[in-house]
Every structure is written in structure tokens, then in C-alpha cells.
Amino acid sequence: MREIDIYLVDAFSERPFEGNAAAVCVLESWLPDALLLKMAQQHNQSETAFVVQQPSGFELRWFTTRQEVNLCGHATLATAHVIFQQLHYPERTIRFETASGQLTVTRDGEWLTLDFPVGETQPATPPAEMLAALGITHYLNARKGRAWVIELESRQQVEAVTPNISAMNPGEHKVAITARGDGAYDFVSRFFSPGEAVWEDPVTGSSHTMLIPYWGEKLGKTQMLARQVSARGGDVRCEWQGNRVLMGGKASLYLKGTLFLPEVSL
């Protein structure tokens, strides 16, 4: 029987039941991909992160309940929280080797800061079917990268969107809707990705790799505070550094335990 440590962490939150939950599995060595996917399906979180320590740092992979993905911000933050707080990693910065290249997470007290590549976007016209599924009849701007970015007029409009999820899948199903913020927040957003079995993602690092340069250019700022206005919600400290973005957040451990896998699990 193989025993594996597992943690459930709420990322981009300082308390349970807010932010975005991710399962984190600490492995001694890589298991077959089919088994990793079955484990992610069993956990039934938007993302399960699998991490293996190497002499030069850590290797990190992310799985939804449908497939492996090449970038996930909140699960990276959750993994760093586990490594710092549960594995007692002594350094200030963790280096992850991933499908998106080397990513780092640096700690400063309770705050953890992700250093990710910018998500490039280009002006584009959204498909009418996607807008209809979102219930959007008017928007200010739209761009396309690894997902759509659609700017609305106000936070209230972003919060009021009630998408028809079944109409978004299959089709154009990855979209961030965003608007200028109010009060302390420079901008707000929500993110939908039903094609990855994530109807609405509570707090999304990968979408902020696109939103940070978008709003940085629009507002003429390099440092911003963002709020993802999902039901759970979460704050993201943002910094735009050319072709890199820094995303800071806190994390809260909700659960830790042990997985028991038979030697033949497939």
C-alpha cells in the first residue's frame, strides 16, 4: 500500500471557505499520468497539484477532473503554502519547473507572491454565441489570449452576469469578464471555464496574467489591487513587470491527511 500526503488549501484567502480551493499531493516520484488523473477526479476540486522535490527545486503539475493543464495560479499558491508551512522549506523563494517554464513563489510574512509570464492577448471580436450564453449585450472592449477578456462598464455588471453554462460548452468556454474597480480595488473580474469542468473559478491566477497587463496599460499603473468577485471571492496583489506579472495572495490550510493507494491502481 502506497501512502501519499494530501492537503486541501484555500488559496488567495486568509480564512477557510473563501478564495479558491486546491488539493495538493506531495509525491516521492512521478506516478502514471492516468493514475494522477484518477486521483484528481476522486478529489473533485477545480485543480489538484502534484509536486515532486528535485535537487534544484520542485517539479509541479496541475490536473482538473478532465485533463492536465499547463498553468494554474491558485494551485501553485496552494502548493507553495504547503511547502513553506507543512514541509518547513527554509528558503524564501521556491522554484517550480512546470509545463509553462520555471515559476517562482516568494514569501513575505503571510503573503506569497507568484512570478508568472504575461498572458499575451490581442484585440478580437467575441463569438455571438458566447456573448449570448453570458447574457452580455454590450461590452467596452474584448481581447483573446489563452482565454477571452471582456471588459464591462462596472463592477455591478460583472457581478450581475448569470451565464448559461450548458450553452458555453462545447464552444468558446474560457472567458474572464472584468471592469474597473471601486474603493481600494483597481479592477474586478470573474472567470468561467466549463470546458475544463470549472463552471466558475473562484480566484484565477492564469486569468490575472492577462488582466494585469491589460489594466496596467489602461490605468497607467504597475501596481494594482484586484478583486475576483465570485461567490467565494479573493484579493490579488498585482504588479506588472514587462513580460512578467507578480500576483500576491494569502492561503489557508483546510485539511491534511493521507491517501492510501494499492500498488496496482489502474
Side-chain angles (χ1 to χ4, degrees):
M1 185 74 68
R2 180 188 293 115
E3 297 184 8
I4 296 172
D5 292 334
I6 182 172
Y7 305 85
L8 188 61
V9 177
D10 290 327
F12 293 107
S13 173
E14 58 186 345
R15 61 183 64 88
F17 311 119
E18 297 180 4
N20 201 350
V24 179
C25 290
V26 180
L27 307 177
E28 294 183 357
S29 60
W30 288 112
L31 302 174
D33 289 5
L35 178 55
L36 297 180
L37 180 58
K38 285 182 177 294
M39 292 167 67
Q41 291 169 340
Q42 181 88 339
H43 305 154
N44 199 33
Q45 299 299 314
S46 62
E47 302 282 349
T48 294
F50 298 96
V51 63
V52 175
Q53 187 166 9
Q54 303 291 354
S56 59
F58 296 85
E59 291 183 353
L60 177 61
R61 297 170 69 184
W62 312 277
F63 283 75
T64 70
T65 57
R66 293 192 178 180
Q67 61 190 0
E68 184 173 10
V69 296
N70 62 10
L71 187 67
C72 180
H74 86 276
T76 303
L77 190 82
T79 304
H81 180 77
V82 168
I83 292 171
F84 282 131
Q85 299 297 327
Q86 302 299 313
L87 305 187
H88 307 293
Y89 189 68
E91 305 296 332
R92 184 169 176 263
T93 298
I94 300 172
R95 289 172 173 79
F96 292 112
E97 295 299 332
T98 78
S100 293
Q102 186 178 93
L103 308 176
T104 64
V105 183
T106 301
R107 63 177 169 180
D108 181 10
E110 294 183 349
W111 285 88
L112 303 177
T113 300
L114 309 172
D115 183 339
F116 275 28
V118 157
E120 300 288 348
T121 61
Q122 300 294 331
T125 301
E129 296 83 358
M130 183 183 71
L131 294 176
L134 290 167
I136 293 174
T137 58
H138 174 72
Y139 63 90
L140 298 182
N141 200 1
R143 299 181 70 87
K144 179 70 180 295
R146 65 167 56 93
W148 283 95
V149 173
I150 299 178
E151 182 188 353
L152 304 183
E153 291 183 349
S154 68
R155 172 175 177 161
Q156 290 71 29
Q157 286 188 357
V158 171
E159 292 176 332
V161 166
T162 54
N164 180 347
I165 294 296
S166 61
M168 293 179 66
N169 186 26
E172 295 283 359
H173 63 83
K174 292 184 178 182
V175 56
I177 56 174
T178 187
R180 287 179 185 265
D182 49 19
Y185 298 108
D186 293 286
F187 65 90
V188 300
S189 68
R190 292 170 68 190
F191 185 76
F192 307 97
S193 184
E196 301 288 355
V198 182
W199 287 11
E200 179 171 359
D201 204 32
V203 190
T204 315
S206 61
S207 68
H208 280 81
T209 66
M210 301 180 294
L211 292 168
I212 291 170
Y214 176 80
W215 283 108
E217 183 175 2
K218 197 175 185 72
L219 300 175
K221 303 179 73 170
T222 58
Q223 294 185 335
M224 294 162 282
L225 181 62
R227 177 76 178 175
Q228 194 152 332
V229 290
S230 62
R232 289 172 62 102
D235 291 350
V236 184
R237 283 183 177 176
C238 306
E239 186 170 345
W240 182 24
Q241 295 185 343
N243 62 356
R244 308 291 297 184
V245 291
L246 305 183
M247 298 173 287
K250 297 182 179 180
S252 174
L253 178 67
Y254 176 71
L255 175 151
K256 64 179 179 180
T258 306
L259 302 181
F260 299 94
L261 296 180
E263 291 303 320
V264 178
S265 301
L266 296 177

PDB file of all heavy atoms in Angstrom, residues 109-122:
ATOM      1  N   GLY A 109       6.230  37.216   4.999  1.00  0.00           N
ATOM      2  CA  GLY A 109       5.246  37.031   6.050  1.00  0.00           C
ATOM      3  C   GLY A 109       4.189  36.050   5.590  1.00  0.00           C
ATOM      4  O   GLY A 109       4.503  34.956   5.113  1.00  0.00           O
ATOM      5  N   GLU A 110       2.914  36.436   5.709  1.00  0.00           N
ATOM      6  CA  GLU A 110       1.822  35.564   5.280  1.00  0.00           C
ATOM      7  C   GLU A 110       1.536  35.678   3.787  1.00  0.00           C
ATOM      8  O   GLU A 110       0.777  34.866   3.238  1.00  0.00           O
ATOM      9  CB  GLU A 110       0.549  35.893   6.067  1.00  0.00           C
ATOM     10  CG  GLU A 110       0.646  35.589   7.561  1.00  0.00           C
ATOM     11  CD  GLU A 110      -0.666  35.878   8.267  1.00  0.00           C
ATOM     12  OE1 GLU A 110      -1.552  36.505   7.649  1.00  0.00           O
ATOM     13  OE2 GLU A 110      -0.797  35.483   9.432  1.00  0.00           O
ATOM     14  N   TRP A 111       2.129  36.664   3.132  1.00  0.00           N
ATOM     15  CA  TRP A 111       1.868  36.870   1.712  1.00  0.00           C
ATOM     16  C   TRP A 111       2.814  36.028   0.871  1.00  0.00           C
ATOM     17  O   TRP A 111       4.020  35.965   1.129  1.00  0.00           O
ATOM     18  CB  TRP A 111       2.014  38.346   1.346  1.00  0.00           C
ATOM     19  CG  TRP A 111       0.868  39.176   1.813  1.00  0.00           C
ATOM     20  CD1 TRP A 111       0.732  39.778   3.026  1.00  0.00           C
ATOM     21  CD2 TRP A 111      -0.318  39.469   1.081  1.00  0.00           C
ATOM     22  NE1 TRP A 111      -0.466  40.436   3.096  1.00  0.00           N
ATOM     23  CE2 TRP A 111      -1.136  40.271   1.930  1.00  0.00           C
ATOM     24  CE3 TRP A 111      -0.771  39.145  -0.199  1.00  0.00           C
ATOM     25  CZ2 TRP A 111      -2.378  40.742   1.519  1.00  0.00           C
ATOM     26  CZ3 TRP A 111      -2.015  39.635  -0.605  1.00  0.00           C
ATOM     27  CH2 TRP A 111      -2.793  40.410   0.244  1.00  0.00           C
ATOM     28  N   LEU A 112       2.255  35.391  -0.147  1.00  0.00           N
ATOM     29  CA  LEU A 112       3.029  34.624  -1.121  1.00  0.00           C
ATOM     30  C   LEU A 112       2.845  35.279  -2.482  1.00  0.00           C
ATOM     31  O   LEU A 112       1.720  35.601  -2.878  1.00  0.00           O
ATOM     32  CB  LEU A 112       2.548  33.175  -1.175  1.00  0.00           C
ATOM     33  CG  LEU A 112       2.584  32.398   0.142  1.00  0.00           C
ATOM     34  CD1 LEU A 112       1.996  31.002  -0.060  1.00  0.00           C
ATOM     35  CD2 LEU A 112       4.001  32.314   0.678  1.00  0.00           C
ATOM     36  N   THR A 113       3.953  35.464  -3.207  1.00  0.00           N
ATOM     37  CA  THR A 113       3.899  36.164  -4.488  1.00  0.00           C
ATOM     38  C   THR A 113       4.346  35.247  -5.607  1.00  0.00           C
ATOM     39  O   THR A 113       5.474  34.741  -5.611  1.00  0.00           O
ATOM     40  CB  THR A 113       4.770  37.425  -4.460  1.00  0.00           C
ATOM     41  OG1 THR A 113       4.294  38.305  -3.443  1.00  0.00           O
ATOM     42  CG2 THR A 113       4.712  38.143  -5.805  1.00  0.00           C
ATOM     43  N   LEU A 114       3.439  35.045  -6.577  1.00  0.00           N
ATOM     44  CA  LEU A 114       3.732  34.254  -7.773  1.00  0.00           C
ATOM     45  C   LEU A 114       4.406  35.132  -8.811  1.00  0.00           C
ATOM     46  O   LEU A 114       3.994  36.277  -9.026  1.00  0.00           O
ATOM     47  CB  LEU A 114       2.438  33.693  -8.371  1.00  0.00           C
ATOM     48  CG  LEU A 114       1.471  32.949  -7.450  1.00  0.00           C
ATOM     49  CD1 LEU A 114       0.175  32.661  -8.192  1.00  0.00           C
ATOM     50  CD2 LEU A 114       2.093  31.668  -6.952  1.00  0.00           C
ATOM     51  N   ASP A 115       5.412  34.596  -9.485  1.00  0.00           N
ATOM     52  CA  ASP A 115       6.084  35.277 -10.597  1.00  0.00           C
ATOM     53  C   ASP A 115       5.810  34.462 -11.849  1.00  0.00           C
ATOM     54  O   ASP A 115       6.372  33.384 -12.042  1.00  0.00           O
ATOM     55  CB  ASP A 115       7.588  35.378 -10.311  1.00  0.00           C
ATOM     56  CG  ASP A 115       8.346  36.144 -11.391  1.00  0.00           C
ATOM     57  OD1 ASP A 115       7.828  36.260 -12.519  1.00  0.00           O
ATOM     58  OD2 ASP A 115       9.457  36.607 -11.113  1.00  0.00           O
ATOM     59  N   PHE A 116       4.905  34.967 -12.707  1.00  0.00           N
ATOM     60  CA  PHE A 116       4.436  34.234 -13.876  1.00  0.00           C
ATOM     61  C   PHE A 116       4.719  35.033 -15.149  1.00  0.00           C
ATOM     62  O   PHE A 116       4.828  36.263 -15.100  1.00  0.00           O
ATOM     63  CB  PHE A 116       2.921  33.999 -13.783  1.00  0.00           C
ATOM     64  CG  PHE A 116       2.512  32.785 -12.996  1.00  0.00           C
ATOM     65  CD1 PHE A 116       3.296  32.287 -11.977  1.00  0.00           C
ATOM     66  CD2 PHE A 116       1.310  32.156 -13.272  1.00  0.00           C
ATOM     67  CE1 PHE A 116       2.910  31.178 -11.243  1.00  0.00           C
ATOM     68  CE2 PHE A 116       0.901  31.045 -12.551  1.00  0.00           C
ATOM     69  CZ  PHE A 116       1.708  30.552 -11.538  1.00  0.00           C
ATOM     70  N   PRO A 117       4.787  34.348 -16.285  1.00  0.00           N
ATOM     71  CA  PRO A 117       4.883  35.081 -17.555  1.00  0.00           C
ATOM     72  C   PRO A 117       3.574  35.784 -17.882  1.00  0.00           C
ATOM     73  O   PRO A 117       2.486  35.312 -17.528  1.00  0.00           O
ATOM     74  CB  PRO A 117       5.184  33.979 -18.578  1.00  0.00           C
ATOM     75  CG  PRO A 117       4.647  32.728 -17.954  1.00  0.00           C
ATOM     76  CD  PRO A 117       4.822  32.890 -16.473  1.00  0.00           C
ATOM     77  N   VAL A 118       3.677  36.927 -18.550  1.00  0.00           N
ATOM     78  CA  VAL A 118       2.491  37.651 -19.008  1.00  0.00           C
ATOM     79  C   VAL A 118       1.686  36.776 -19.959  1.00  0.00           C
ATOM     80  O   VAL A 118       2.239  36.051 -20.794  1.00  0.00           O
ATOM     81  CB  VAL A 118       2.914  38.964 -19.706  1.00  0.00           C
ATOM     82  CG1 VAL A 118       1.836  39.460 -20.659  1.00  0.00           C
ATOM     83  CG2 VAL A 118       3.242  40.033 -18.675  1.00  0.00           C
ATOM     84  N   GLY A 119       0.373  36.841 -19.829  1.00  0.00           N
ATOM     85  CA  GLY A 119      -0.518  36.188 -20.781  1.00  0.00           C
ATOM     86  C   GLY A 119      -0.859  37.160 -21.900  1.00  0.00           C
ATOM     87  O   GLY A 119      -1.624  38.106 -21.705  1.00  0.00           O
ATOM     88  N   GLU A 120      -0.263  36.948 -23.062  1.00  0.00           N
ATOM     89  CA  GLU A 120      -0.476  37.864 -24.188  1.00  0.00           C
ATOM     90  C   GLU A 120      -1.913  37.777 -24.693  1.00  0.00           C
ATOM     91  O   GLU A 120      -2.515  36.704 -24.762  1.00  0.00           O
ATOM     92  CB  GLU A 120       0.484  37.521 -25.325  1.00  0.00           C
ATOM     93  CG  GLU A 120       1.957  37.623 -24.952  1.00  0.00           C
ATOM     94  CD  GLU A 120       2.420  39.067 -24.776  1.00  0.00           C
ATOM     95  OE1 GLU A 120       1.649  39.986 -25.163  1.00  0.00           O
ATOM     96  OE2 GLU A 120       3.535  39.266 -24.266  1.00  0.00           O
ATOM     97  N   THR A 121      -2.476  38.938 -25.069  1.00  0.00           N
ATOM     98  CA  THR A 121      -3.808  38.999 -25.673  1.00  0.00           C
ATOM     99  C   THR A 121      -3.775  39.925 -26.871  1.00  0.00           C
ATOM    100  O   THR A 121      -2.905  40.795 -26.976  1.00  0.00           O
ATOM    101  CB  THR A 121      -4.858  39.500 -24.673  1.00  0.00           C
ATOM    102  OG1 THR A 121      -4.511  40.829 -24.237  1.00  0.00           O
ATOM    103  CG2 THR A 121      -4.956  38.579 -23.461  1.00  0.00           C
ATOM    104  N   GLN A 122      -4.747  39.732 -27.748  1.00  0.00           N
ATOM    105  CA  GLN A 122      -4.885  40.571 -28.932  1.00  0.00           C
ATOM    106  C   GLN A 122      -6.343  41.003 -29.081  1.00  0.00           C
ATOM    107  O   GLN A 122      -7.255  40.257 -28.705  1.00  0.00           O
ATOM    108  CB  GLN A 122      -4.456  39.807 -30.192  1.00  0.00           C
ATOM    109  CG  GLN A 122      -3.023  39.331 -30.188  1.00  0.00           C
ATOM    110  CD  GLN A 122      -2.019  40.483 -30.216  1.00  0.00           C
ATOM    111  OE1 GLN A 122      -2.320  41.549 -30.753  1.00  0.00           O
ATOM    112  NE2 GLN A 122      -0.846  40.273 -29.631  1.00  0.00           N
TER     113      GLN A 122
END
